[in-house]
Structures are given as C-alpha cells and as structure tokens.
Amino acid sequence: MKRNSRNRSIGVGQSLLSAALLFFPPALAAGASVLTIPVFGVGMRIYKPIAITVTLLCLTTIFALIATFVNAGLMDEAIESLKFLFMAFCLVSGFWLQAKLKDIQRLALILSTALVVWYTVSVQLGVALPDAFRPPDNNGSSILLFFLAFILTDNRNIFGRLIIIAFLGFFATLVDSRLLIVLLPLFFLSQPVSFSIGRVLLFVCLCIVVYIVTLGFGLWGNWSDFVRLEIYATTLRHFLQEGLVLIATGQGPFLEAINASLPDIISQRLELSHVHNAFFQVIGSYGLLPGLSFIGVFVVLTRTSIILSDDTVRNQTIFLISAMMIETLLSDSRIAYIAFLFIGLQIGAARRRNAERLALT
C-alpha cells in the first residue's frame, strides 16, 4: 500500500543533508544541493508556479554563464554563477517532499539552534575555525534566523510568538546586525496579526525609506552604515553612466568599476566583494536579462503565496526581498540554499493542505 504523503516525515538523512547545506563550505554546500532531489524524493507531478520559478532560476544561470564567459571565460566566476541552479534544486526538492508542517518546524528549530550555537562558539567566544567552515557573517546569520522563525511561529499563540520575536531582537543586538533590527517590525507586524500583503509591502517600503532618509540626515548610524549608503549611490551612478546592458561582462569587471568609483575615504579602508544589494549585484554583474529573471522568481513566489493563502510563504518571500535590498545574500550561497529549500517545503505543505480541504468539501 502506498504511504500517504501526509504521514511522511523528514528523516535523519534529510535532516543531515539540510545541515550540510548550511554548515559545509559554500562549494560543498553547492554539491550537497544536487543531492537534495534524490534524497528528499522525486514527485511525479510538478506544481506550475514551482516549474516557472525553477525555469526563471535556470534562465538566470544561463545568462550568468554567458556573462562570465564573455569576460574571457573566467572559470571561477562561471562556477559561482551556478548557484542559481543549485537554488532551483533546493526549491523543487523541498516541494516534492511535501512534508508535514510540524516536521518543517522541527527541522527549522534544529537548524536555528545549531546556527546560534555555531555563531556564538566561533565568533562570540573566539574559537578558531578554518575560514571555509565559519558561519555566515552577522547580517547573514541574523537573516537566516529571522527567515526560519517565520516557520517556528506558525500556529503558535501570541505569547509564544512574542518570545521568539524577543529572542530575534536579542540575537540581532548580540551580533550587531542593525539592519535586522530595522526589519524586525516587519516580523512583528506579520506574526501576531496577519495583515494584507499590500499593507505589509507598504510597511516594508516605509521602513527602508525611513532607514535611508534618517541615515542621510545623520540622525543615527556609524561609519559602516554611511558606507552602505555611499555604495548604493555609487552603484546607481554607475548604472546611469554606463547604462543597463542585456548581458553584462561578469562580476569581476562590475566590482572593479564600483571599487574604482568609491570615494577615497572608503576605498582606502576596504575593497568591496559585493554591493550590499542582491538585485543590483545580479544586474551589474550579469546584465538586465538575468536581473529580470531573478526578480521574476520573487514575483512568482509572492503570487503563489497569495493563491495558496499561506502567510508564512508570503512573509518569508517579502522578508527575503527586503533583506536582499540591503544585503547581498548571494555572497554566501548557503543562506540562499536553505531559504529556497524551506520555501519549497512550505509551498508543498500548503498545497497539500489545500488539496485535503478540497477533498473534504
């Protein structure tokens, strides 16, 4: 007798593979993402929005590969551009598993706890680890923890949600992630009461505008915060001067141009490895076509969450869009792999629940 999908749970092997996506060095995490499909299971049917999202991620990969080979065929950059394809593997494998919601919560709790311990031991306590096995930086770790917390708060009462929100605020303060403190109201707004997507998006935009304006007038912030604003301004000037091309020449030339354009007070102290905005990074490195494909991924995911009436997927997607506007999450692909795996899990679970409700009516 075929086992019912609603009784299927995430096993030890699947939990270990999920941990590998986070704890392995990015190169090995990319390899582990290829294994997610056979390990998480292959479904016989594919959900149309998932197919569209995977197609868009594949198109982003193809365009990025073309861009890197235009730039003298840099093999390292070409391999790095495959991360969009690996993100697609994680998304579709999570969807095909269609795990129960409580199993997603259990897995999210395991990874969240491990991430906090990992960061605390290696960074806060100063335990030396090889660079390849260090956790994501302060913003990256906070973003991933916030993302997983959307699942941890599912079906919890307001008191339980407020405890998780308080812990998120504490962790963001502990690791000095001021950007996540700015986005914490989004989490608070989306959890105790479920607002419409229009109001949540409006609130997100308002938070970002207030953040930029108050920094610009010097009302708060330190050198790092002002550098971030100067990076955005420099990147926008670069786009205005150079124009937007359909296919760019790779990440290397883009970052060289940005670094060369930064004010001396910044360039003398640091060299950028990304522009702190994932969408700017993709458009500047690979071109307008891959940029639009990448943006389309989040448009489809947001629309899917509305169709499925799943607040968690909606909030996760909006949060990722917001976070990617102030941090280049793609610079540490491990974060993107985990995020897309859990979005796939959540969409699969939401679609299964909808099917079960329809079967009862």
Side-chain angles (χ1 to χ4, degrees), residues 158 161 188-195 200 311 314-315:
I158 291 180
R161 293 177 177 185
F188 183 86
L189 180 69
S190 63
Q191 291 303 304
V193 180
S194 181
F195 285 83
V200 174
D311 289 341
R314 181 201 69 177
N315 295 333

Side-chain angles (χ1 to χ4, degrees), residues 104-134:
I104 299 174
Q105 287 184 312
R106 180 179 64 185
L107 184 55
L109 179 61
I110 291 171
L111 289 180
S112 298
T113 303
L115 177 63
V116 172
V117 172
W118 186 25
Y119 190 95
T120 301
V121 169
S122 64
V123 179
Q124 299 300 120
L125 299 181
V127 176
L129 289 175
D131 288 341
F133 288 93
R134 289 179 66 82

Side-chain angles (χ1 to χ4, degrees), residues 62-319:
I62 293 170
F63 292 139
L65 284 171
I66 294 173
T68 55
F69 280 113
V70 166
N71 182 32
L74 294 178
M75 186 54 67
D76 289 344
E77 283 198 23
I79 293 174
E80 184 182 352
S81 66
L82 291 174
K83 58 179 171 279
F84 303 105
L85 181 62
F86 300 142
M87 288 155 58
F89 289 153
C90 293
L91 176 72
V92 73
S93 60
F95 171 77
W96 268 331
L97 179 62
Q98 295 190 24
K100 291 178 67 176
L101 183 61
K102 68 177 183 180
D103 293 317
I104 299 174
Q105 287 184 312
R106 180 179 64 185
L107 184 55
L109 179 61
I110 291 171
L111 289 180
S112 298
T113 303
L115 177 63
V116 172
V117 172
W118 186 25
Y119 190 95
T120 301
V121 169
S122 64
V123 179
Q124 299 300 120
L125 299 181
V127 176
L129 289 175
D131 288 341
F133 288 93
R134 289 179 66 82
D137 64 14
N138 59 337
N139 284 329
S141 295
S142 296
I143 285 170
L144 188 55
L145 192 62
F146 274 55
F147 176 85
L148 293 173
F150 282 111
I151 292 176
L152 297 178
T153 54
D154 253 356
N155 297 323
R156 296 188 183 276
N157 58 33
I158 291 180
F159 180 73
R161 293 177 177 185
L162 289 176
I163 290 177
I164 293 176
I165 289 171
F167 173 73
L168 290 174
F170 169 76
F171 184 78
T173 304
L174 177 69
V175 303
D176 193 24
S177 179
R178 294 177 300 280
L179 297 179
L180 271 298
I181 292 294
V182 173
L183 290 176
L184 186 57
L186 167 62
F187 191 94
F188 183 86
L189 180 69
S190 63
Q191 291 303 304
V193 180
S194 181
F195 285 83
S196 69
I197 188 169
R199 292 183 180 179
V200 174
L201 282 172
L202 179 62
F203 185 77
V204 171
C205 294
L206 181 62
C207 283
I208 294 174
V209 169
V210 170
Y211 167 74
I212 293 174
V213 171
T214 53
L215 268 183
F217 280 100
L219 299 180
W220 68 286
N222 58 17
W223 188 82
S224 176
D225 297 309
F226 293 112
V227 165
R228 193 180 301 268
L229 290 184
E230 189 58 48
I231 292 170
Y232 298 154
T234 301
T235 304
L236 289 173
R237 284 196 299 269
H238 172 79
F239 289 151
L240 289 173
Q241 293 170 1
E242 302 297 327
L244 296 177
V245 296
L246 293 181
I247 297 292
T249 56
Q251 185 169 261
F254 172 61
L255 291 176
E256 288 176 8
I258 298 299
N259 279 300
S261 302
L262 287 173
D264 291 341
I265 191 174
I266 298 175
S267 60
Q268 289 173 359
R269 292 183 58 176
L270 58 85
E271 182 177 357
L272 297 182
S273 57
H274 58 80
V275 295
H276 291 277
N277 184 302
F279 303 109
F280 286 174
Q281 185 81 17
V282 174
I283 293 172
S285 299
Y286 307 123
L288 186 58
L289 286 179
L292 292 176
S293 297
F294 189 62
I295 293 171
V297 167
F298 295 95
V299 173
V300 174
L301 290 177
T302 303
R303 184 173 183 273
T304 302
S305 70
I306 296 172
I307 294 173
L308 294 175
S309 300
D310 191 282
D311 289 341
T312 298
V313 176
R314 181 201 69 177
N315 295 333
Q316 285 176 323
T317 304
I318 294 174
F319 177 74

